[in-house]
Amino acid sequence: MNIQFNPDREFDLIAIGRACIDLNAVEYNRAMEETMTFKKYVGGSPANIAIGSSKLGLKAGFIGKLADDQHGRFIEQYMRSLGVDTSNMVVDEEGHKTGLAFTEIKSPEECSILMYRDDVADLYLEPSEVSEDYIKKAKVLLVSGTALAKSPSREAVLKAVQLARKNHVKVIFELDYRGYTWKSLEETSVYYTLVAQQSDVVVGTRDEFDVMENVTEGNNEATIKQLFNYSPELVVIKHGVEGSYAYTKNGESFRGQAYLTKVLKTFGAGDSYASAFLYALISGKGIETALKYGSASAAIVVSKHSSSEAMPTVAEIEQLIAERTETADQLR
């Protein structure tokens, strides 16, 4: 089964949600208390996915709210320089600030993120700032779960989903759970479930699906049985080094292997996976190939320092897949 996208649209993908700043530790293998130097990048899951998609050759746009400060201007300029349409990125006029994420790279296995997200501009996106004329130009609306955490951003996203469905735009829900943004697991479960049921494709880690279902140690069969009672046509559940599983409404299932690599840091994998998976899906390459693209892209990004700047090209992804396929053939 292939997902059918409307071919007569100006944008392949429009993402909605947060665009913020990542400050990644330049000195590896040490605690943040001892880290003296950080390098600035654009961050935030939907921004990274829009950037990654654009670098892969898709026409990407973005709906979000930026702080009226140097960081906000840096984000807009950087995304625009990479081909992302920023015409629907609104500048906050109430003094809210850009979200910051400091990263600590103690070891490839032990990384942490220190977030500054109190009163951040991206969560003040108003429903009135979401344009139907813009959304109906897209094949795909990519929704990030964190944008549902607080009003008015929550209502802006719900409006965007309604407009997408009205205009036959596929809704892709990337669960993107960040616990520090939410008041409770119950609240998260309510809004995640609401949007997942209205989406065409739902993507997340097994842990994130557990949060959505408000269960511990949930299983894939129960997840898809529930979701396929509603709008989703495709559900992708990632299991880390075990790889990822894709399930279609008509009963097909696929497994994508994780590509092992020299890991520098653990963050950024999910966004790079999503952008490459969506690129392959929108390009009509099929679900099995899309899983390979996602895994290869994630492997590339976790081996590099940044998340947004490290987003690979199609050639880099295909080279890694070819190398691993050749190695596997030699081992048989």
Side-chain angles (χ1 to χ4, degrees):
M1 177 191 129
N2 276 356
I3 306 284
Q4 299 301 313
F5 300 96
N6 193 321
D8 306 318
R9 298 292 169 94
E10 180 182 342
F11 292 96
D12 293 301
L13 174 146
I14 291 175
I16 184 168
R18 74 190 186 286
C20 41
I21 297 288
D22 284 351
L23 293 158
N24 289 2
V26 171
E27 295 114 3
Y28 315 148
N29 306 320
R30 65 180 67 181
M32 198 179 296
E33 292 88 338
E34 299 164 14
T35 305
M36 301 307 291
T37 318
F38 298 84
K39 187 170 180 184
K40 178 175 72 172
Y41 301 103
V42 170
S45 178
N48 285 339
I49 293 170
I51 289 165
S53 300
S54 187
K55 287 181 79 170
L56 291 168
L58 295 182
K59 177 64 177 163
F62 198 86
I63 301 169
K65 185 163 257 185
L66 296 172
D68 185 13
D69 61 18
Q70 295 92 327
H71 289 317
R73 289 187 285 277
F74 166 74
I75 291 166
E76 189 278 330
Q77 289 163 11
Y78 180 77
M79 291 179 70
R80 182 160 39 90
S81 76
L82 290 175
V84 178
D85 179 76
T86 60
S87 62
N88 279 246
M89 294 180 85
V90 185
V91 177
D92 177 83
E93 295 177 355
E94 297 173 350
H96 302 116
K97 298 303 179 195
T98 303
L100 303 177
F102 288 85
T103 66
E104 174 182 67
I105 307 174
K106 283 186 179 178
S107 72
E109 298 78 30
E110 196 179 359
C111 299
S112 65
I113 302 177
L114 177 62
M115 303 295 292
Y116 289 78
R117 284 193 57 76
D118 291 341
D119 239 20
V120 285
D122 59 83
L123 289 174
Y124 284 88
L125 181 70
E126 295 280 350
S128 60
E129 293 164 335
V130 174
S131 160
E132 180 171 7
D133 287 341
Y134 191 57
I135 286 174
K136 70 184 183 185
K137 292 178 181 177
K139 295 176 186 174
V140 165
L141 174 73
L142 177 96
V143 173
S144 148
T146 297
L148 294 164
K150 285 190 172 65
S151 298
S153 171
R154 174 183 291 161
E155 289 74 21
V157 170
L158 293 175
K159 178 184 176 183
V161 170
Q162 290 167 2
L163 293 173
R165 292 183 63 76
K166 175 184 171 186
N167 290 283
H168 309 291
V169 176
K170 295 291 185 187
V171 177
I172 313 253
F173 184 26
E174 168 38 81
L175 296 183
D176 177 41
Y177 176 64
R178 300 288 183 267
Y180 45 75
T181 312
W182 291 87
K183 288 179 182 173
S184 69
L185 286 172
E186 286 76 13
E187 181 190 50
T188 312
S189 178
V190 166
Y191 289 103
Y192 270 35
T193 302
L194 182 66
V195 172
Q197 290 174 353
Q198 297 179 70
S199 300
D200 298 284
V201 181
V202 186
V203 183
T205 64
R206 181 62 255 175
D207 288 346
E208 288 174 326
F209 278 97
D210 286 356
V211 168
M212 181 176 79
E213 296 163 35
N214 204 9
V215 299
T216 53
E217 297 185 21
N219 69 80
N220 293 4
E221 291 304 321
T223 298
I224 62 171
K225 184 180 178 184
Q226 180 63 20
L227 283 173
F228 287 151
N229 287 323
Y230 298 93
S231 298
E233 301 173 62
L234 175 65
V235 176
V236 181
I237 305 176
K238 297 179 286 182
H239 286 257
V241 293
E242 288 179 41
S244 48
Y245 297 83
Y247 303 91
T248 67
K249 196 171 223 160
N250 64 4
E252 292 177 292
S253 62
F254 305 87
R255 183 177 179 185
Q257 303 290 335
Y259 292 110
L260 300 179
T261 188
K262 183 174 170 54
V263 176
L264 171 65
K265 45 115 171 84
T266 52
F267 43 85
D271 303 337
S272 55
Y273 182 102
S275 57
F277 179 86
L278 292 177
Y279 162 78
L281 210 60
I282 292 168
S283 303
K285 294 180 184 296
I287 294 166
E288 200 162 5
T289 301
L291 290 170
K292 289 181 182 176
Y293 271 62
S295 294
S297 181
I300 290 167
V301 168
V302 296
S303 69
K304 297 187 178 179
H305 189 249
S306 85
S307 297
S308 54
E309 266 188 35
M311 290 291 183
T313 62
V314 174
E316 288 171 320
I317 289 171
E318 291 180 346
Q319 182 183 349
L320 188 144
I321 293 171
E323 287 170 358
R324 298 305 166 86
T325 304
E326 185 181 343
T327 303
D329 289 344
Q330 289 170 351
L331 292 171
R332 284 195 182 112

